[in-house]
Structures are given as structure tokens and as C-alpha cells.
Amino acid sequence: MKIYNSLSRVKEEFIPHEPGRVSMYTCGPTVYHFAHIGNLRTYIMEDVLDRYLRYSGYDVKRVMNITDVGHLSGDSDSGEDKMLSGARREHKSVMDVARFYTDAFFSDCKKLNIRRPDAVVPATDCIDEFIKVISSLIDKGYAYLAGGNVYFDTSRLDRYYVFNDFSEDDLAVGVREGVEADGNKRNKSDFVLWFTKSKFDDQELKWDSPWGLGYPGWHIECSCISMKNLGEYLDIHCGGIDNQFPHHTNEIAQSEAYLGHKWCSYWVHVHHLNTGTGKMSKSSGEFLTLSLLEGKGYDPMAYRLFCLQSHYRKSLLFTWENLDNAAAAYSKLVARVAALRPSGGKTDSETFDGLKRRFCDALDNDLNSSLAVTALYDVLKADTDDGTKLALIEDFDRVLALDLIKAAQDLRDASCKAETHPSDPDSPEIEALVAERTEAKKKKDFARADEIREKLKQMGVVLEDGPAGTKWRRI
Ligand code: AMP
Ligand code: ZN
């Protein structure tokens, strides 16, 4: 398999540190709010990578942190802890907020068929580990105390900006974050490992440390949680592209200074989900959640397909029209799978192997999920028996995780039910609303179209948009 490595900036052959085994670390969510569908794009694409490695026979161990302390509103050690602002917004304690949004995150992941990592570790469970690593960095001369905080000294490194070639002057922390630069730092690019002093002294959670009562910086948590659970040599580290700098740059600096050797071999970054006005972000307050899409009648699998249809290294533009297209494509896909009849005979192994090769070739080439979806359509078009097609679809769905076989069965069950109740008493009203919605969509009056979909949903009716028009059925 070839994968693009953000460190070398080329596609590289994937060779794990230990043959047959893969250690994989994923930056987890900052749990002060719901994950938005942009965050979920990153987790869907990381899930495809995780699933494809397992499908290819690797023994994968995947670890994810939960950021429940230390992620400040500015990534460069400035501003207030995001968890604290979440707690204040909701009049709850930080831990209550963390618990609530951690559960909400995994509930979204479940709906999107995102596998739960083998280990999920909240930062607040690892304070002793952070203190151990920070103490060692001080002993080795890589970290210093100033103004009550512990800082990493980036001037001790031969090369700090490993992903991008910034110059220190370009960094302009104070300007970018709208706050003053931290006068305690010896170099502009130094970053905080442990805070005992910040402008926001009402930090709710603080721990004893050799440097006083305080709390860890955001970057140290991922380094420590990864090294503790996955050892000194990490194969793959993933995250969204915005994590490259400063978060991942700082992770590399402190982990390699601590270990004394190269730490992680492959850095995989998923590009952003954008709206018309730029990156979807929690801090802007304007973001879409999976529950909101569901409320409008979209199946989470339609959103998963929407993400799979584009390459993870390209930014993806979210529009309702694009999502409608994915929803229609998903319904059609399920209907085509539902029309296949298991043949019970032997699978056509030559066709099976040929189509599977096409699927693997796509994913072996830097996880080209969009071509892998095309390979799925090739299966439906193939000149072979339905049993072979179903076997291939089931096989591909171990990676694509679109629930195709189950959704097809549900559709068959639903049409059986509809056939036994041919005269729905509300059907004239339903038909009229469906027709009105089709008209509204033609006129690009999506607000009215959404309103009608919602109204029908409340009447217990779901809509399936397909190329032949809109079908409705009872939930
Ligand atoms: P956060 O909860 O803010 O720490 O972010 C969780 C993950 O989502 C990180 O890997 C981010 O890089 C990623 N992320 C943030 N915004 C977006 C976006 N608009 N599109 C895709 N990924 C994103
Ligand atoms: Zn991280």
C-alpha cells in the first residue's frame, strides 16, 4: 500500500516498524461541544484507513485521546481552556461537559460505522505520565521554567518546522490569535508543556506537580498517550490538516527530544470540510451536526458515502445539493443491492478476484476511496451471477462500512410491508406533499423542501430520492 506522508510530502510504500502489526494514533475530539460534520469527515476517513489495514491482514492497534483539558481557544497557548468555556456556557462542571460530549461523539461514530479505537484515553487520566515526560525534558535541557510555566525550548532542535517551512517572523502569534505574545517564551515558537499561570486563573481542574498546582498543555497529551499505549515507535499518526501546525509539529518536537530517536513514520492528514465561507469550525459557532442532518431526514450512511466519494487529501465543499446527490446515490445503491438474489451456487472466483483487485488497487493508491466506490458500482454492472456480486459487496463493505447488505434487507422488508398494506389512508395527502416538495426543489426552494420532509417525517413517512423520482414509505 502507498500512502502520502505529510513529513516527506510524497506517497510512500507503507512498511510498519514490526512486520504484520500496525500502531496507529488518532487525535481525538475536544469535548466541549458536539462534533461537527467536518470533524466527522476526518474520523470517517481515518476509519477507512484503519479498516483497510485490517482488511489487508494487519494486526492494528489504534489509540485515541479525548481532550478534556488544556486545549486553549488559540492553538498557540493563548486564550481560555475550551473546556472551561463549554462548562460556563452550559452551567455545568468541566467533567460533566466532557462526559456528555464524549458520549455524544461516540454515538455519532456508531451511527456512521466508525470503529471505536482499541484504546480511548482521556487526557485527565494521564497526568502522572505528562509530569514524568516533562520532568525528563527539563533534565535533558529541552524545557525550561519561566513565569511559573514550563516551556519547550524549540531552539534546541535542528529543525522544528518539520511540515512547513515557516519563518519565526511569519508566526506572529499575537497578531493571529488577537492576544499579546507570551513574554516568558525564549523563542517565539516555544510552547507550553505545563501551565501554573495563565491569564485565566479560574481553570477548574488543576493538579499538583513539581512546578506547582497547574494543568498540562494540549500537545503533551497526545505524545504521552501515544508513547504510553503504543511504545517508542509509532507507525501512523492521523488528524485533520489543521493539526499539522502547531499541534503535530510540537508533538514531534517533544516526543523525539524525550525518546532521542525518530518517533512516528507516517503522518496522515485529512483535509477540511468547508462551507461557502471557509472551514467548518466549532469556534465559529456555525456548524452542522450529524443529529441536525438526521433531523432533516438524511441517513448517516448518506453522509458517509458523501465523504467516501472524495479523496481525503482534497478539501470537500459541503452544500445541501451535494448531500442530496449523495443521499439519492445511496438510496439507489441500496435498491440495486436489494434487487440481487442470492444464487446459492459457487462464486465466480475469476470475476470475484478481478473486481477485488480493482478495489484494492484503488485503496492501495493513497486510500483512493472514491475509486473504491467506483469499484463497487463495477460489481453491480459486472457480467456475473448475483451470488458473486453479493459476496463482493459484503467483502468491500468491511472497508466502506455503508451497511449495504443490511439496508438492502431492510428495504426488502419495508416493501413487503407496503405490499401487504396497499391502501394507506393518508396517501393522497402524502402524495400531494411529495409532489410539492419536488416542485420546491426544482425552484431551489430548499427551505420549503426541508420543511415538507420534516412534516412527512412527523407523519411517520420517510422519503427516498432517486433518479426516477421520490419514493415514500412508512417508517
Ligand atoms: P477538535 O475536536 O477541534 O480537536 O477536532 C477534532 C478533529 O477534527 C481534528 O483532527 C481536527 O483536525 C479535525 N477538524 C476540525 N475541523 C475540521 C473540518 N472543518 N474538516 C475536517 N476535519 C476537521
Ligand atoms: Zn493530538
Side-chain angles (χ1 to χ4, degrees):
M1 179 190 192
K2 281 206 156 84
I3 191 88
Y4 182 87
N5 188 348
S6 306
L7 259 190
S8 61
R9 288 174 236 177
V10 289
K11 283 188 211 172
E12 287 179 35
E13 192 60 41
F14 176 65
I15 305 168
H17 188 70
E18 263 186 74
R21 308 181 79 146
V22 178
S23 55
M24 183 171 170
Y25 184 84
T26 302
C27 287
T30 310
V31 283
Y32 72 110
H33 218 316
F34 290 108
H36 57 62
I37 58 170
N39 301 130
L40 294 169
R41 177 196 192 197
T42 290
Y43 295 111
I44 288 171
M45 300 317 290
E46 292 170 350
D47 180 65
V48 175
L49 176 58
D50 177 356
R51 284 175 181 272
Y52 186 59
L53 290 166
R54 288 172 205 264
Y55 175 93
S56 306
Y58 288 108
D59 178 5
V60 179
K61 181 167 181 200
R62 178 153 176 227
V63 174
M64 178 194 274
N65 67 306
I66 297 289
T67 300
D68 53 2
V69 67
H71 192 171
L72 306 191
S73 59
D75 282 351
S76 306
D77 307 329
S78 54
E80 189 181 27
D81 188 319
K82 293 185 180 194
M83 292 304 302
L84 197 60
S85 61
R88 191 166 305 133
R89 185 187 63 231
E90 302 192 6
H91 309 288
K92 288 184 188 160
S93 72
V94 162
M95 285 329 278
D96 283 346
V97 169
R99 247 187 311 271
F100 177 81
Y101 288 114
T102 302
D103 291 349
F105 172 71
F106 284 113
S107 153
D108 285 350
C109 288
K110 196 159 176 233
K111 288 178 189 162
L112 288 164
N113 278 344
I114 297 169
R115 275 187 91 257
R116 192 182 168 93
D118 304 289
V120 174
V121 187
T124 49
D125 280 3
C126 298
I127 303 296
D128 289 349
E129 193 67 19
F130 306 155
I131 292 174
K132 181 185 96 185
V133 172
I134 296 169
S135 303
S136 161
L137 289 171
I138 296 175
D139 292 346
K140 290 180 173 152
Y142 282 104
Y144 59 93
L145 259 164
N149 296 334
V150 183
Y151 294 88
F152 186 92
D153 183 353
T154 53
S155 70
R156 288 287 322 279
L157 305 176
D158 292 338
R159 187 163 171 247
Y160 166 64
Y161 297 108
V162 286
F163 292 112
N164 344 53
D165 291 313
F166 288 106
S167 86
E168 281 212 3
D169 293 335
D170 292 342
L171 201 59
V173 170
V175 178
R176 194 160 67 94
E177 310 295 352
V179 292
E180 294 150 35
D182 180 347
N184 294 319
K185 293 185 181 181
R186 288 182 191 163
N187 314 286
K188 263 187 192 163
S189 52
D190 291 355
F191 54 93
V192 178
L193 297 167
W194 187 270
F195 289 97
T196 68
K197 293 268 179 308
S198 82
K199 283 197 297 184
F200 300 96
D201 266 347
D202 51 354
Q203 182 75 14
E204 194 178 304
L205 298 177
K206 291 187 185 180
W207 294 265
D208 269 329
S209 79
W211 320 288
L213 195 66
Y215 60 101
W218 170 37
H219 317 296
I220 195 71
E221 76 176 74
C222 285
S223 288
C224 291
I225 293 172
S226 173
M227 291 189 286
K228 184 175 177 200
N229 291 276
L230 296 167
E232 290 190 13
Y233 294 94
L234 177 63
D235 291 313
I236 303 176
H237 194 309
C238 336
I241 189 78
D242 57 314
N243 283 164
Q244 248 185 26
F245 183 82
H247 186 47
H248 292 166
T249 304
N250 292 350
E251 278 189 51
I252 293 173
Q254 65 208 358
S255 302
E256 298 194 351
Y258 173 73
L259 294 168
H261 59 72
K262 187 174 159 96
W263 168 49
C264 173
S265 309
Y266 301 87
W267 287 83
V268 175
H269 290 110
V270 180
H271 285 238
H272 283 148
L273 181 80
N274 292 328
T275 61
T277 53
K279 170 195 162 192
M280 187 172 287
S281 75
K282 285 186 217 175
S283 50
S284 74
E286 283 178 24
F287 58 81
L288 299 172
T289 60
L290 189 66
S291 315
L292 193 136
L293 298 195
E294 284 184 293
K296 286 182 179 287
Y298 292 99
D299 184 331
M301 288 299 101
Y303 184 64
R304 188 169 171 112
L305 179 63
F306 173 71
C307 292
L308 296 185
Q309 282 171 328
S310 81
H311 194 260
Y312 76 92
R313 258 184 331 107
K314 285 201 179 116
S315 49
L316 176 58
L317 179 68
F318 178 84
T319 64
W320 291 108
E321 199 177 350
N322 290 348
L323 184 62
D324 278 337
N325 289 338
Y330 183 69
S331 303
K332 195 174 163 206
L333 203 52
V334 171
R336 288 176 75 181
V337 178
L340 300 173
R341 293 283 165 261
S343 42
K346 265 182 76 183
T347 46
D348 165 2
S349 59
E350 200 179 317
T351 308
F352 186 98
D353 293 346
L355 287 164
K356 186 178 166 102
R357 191 63 265 147
R358 220 176 280 176
F359 178 74
C360 293
D361 283 349
L363 293 167
D364 281 342
N365 184 7
D366 193 24
L367 210 69
N368 194 328
S369 57
S370 131
L371 268 184
V373 170
T374 306
L376 180 69
Y377 283 106
D378 291 343
V379 169
L380 290 163
K381 283 188 278 183
D383 182 15
T384 189
D385 60 282
D386 284 3
T388 302
K389 291 184 184 181
L390 283 166
L392 278 159
I393 291 163
E394 197 167 358
D395 185 63
F396 293 5
D397 220 27
R398 283 164 54 206
V399 181
L400 303 177
L402 290 167
D403 267 355
L404 290 171
I405 301 288
K406 184 180 171 297
Q409 186 56 49
D410 289 350
L411 184 65
R412 273 196 297 268
D413 293 349
S415 31
C416 274
K417 253 195 232 161
E419 277 157 26
T420 52
H421 301 283
S423 53
D424 189 310
D426 294 326
S427 72
E429 188 188 350
I430 295 169
E431 296 288 353
L433 283 166
V434 170
E436 190 192 337
R437 178 173 168 273
T438 308
E439 274 309 298
K441 276 174 65 177
K442 262 193 216 148
K443 289 185 201 141
K444 305 226 174 296
D445 185 359
F446 296 114
R448 177 66 190 142
D450 290 345
E451 220 174 87
I452 296 171
R453 184 191 272 274
E454 190 53 40
K455 181 168 182 192
L456 285 166
K457 196 173 168 218
Q458 276 158 19
M459 290 167 68
V461 171
V462 284
L463 302 179
E464 279 160 9
D465 291 321
T470 301
K471 289 190 183 149
W472 63 270
R473 63 178 167 82
R474 287 279 175 193
I475 294 169

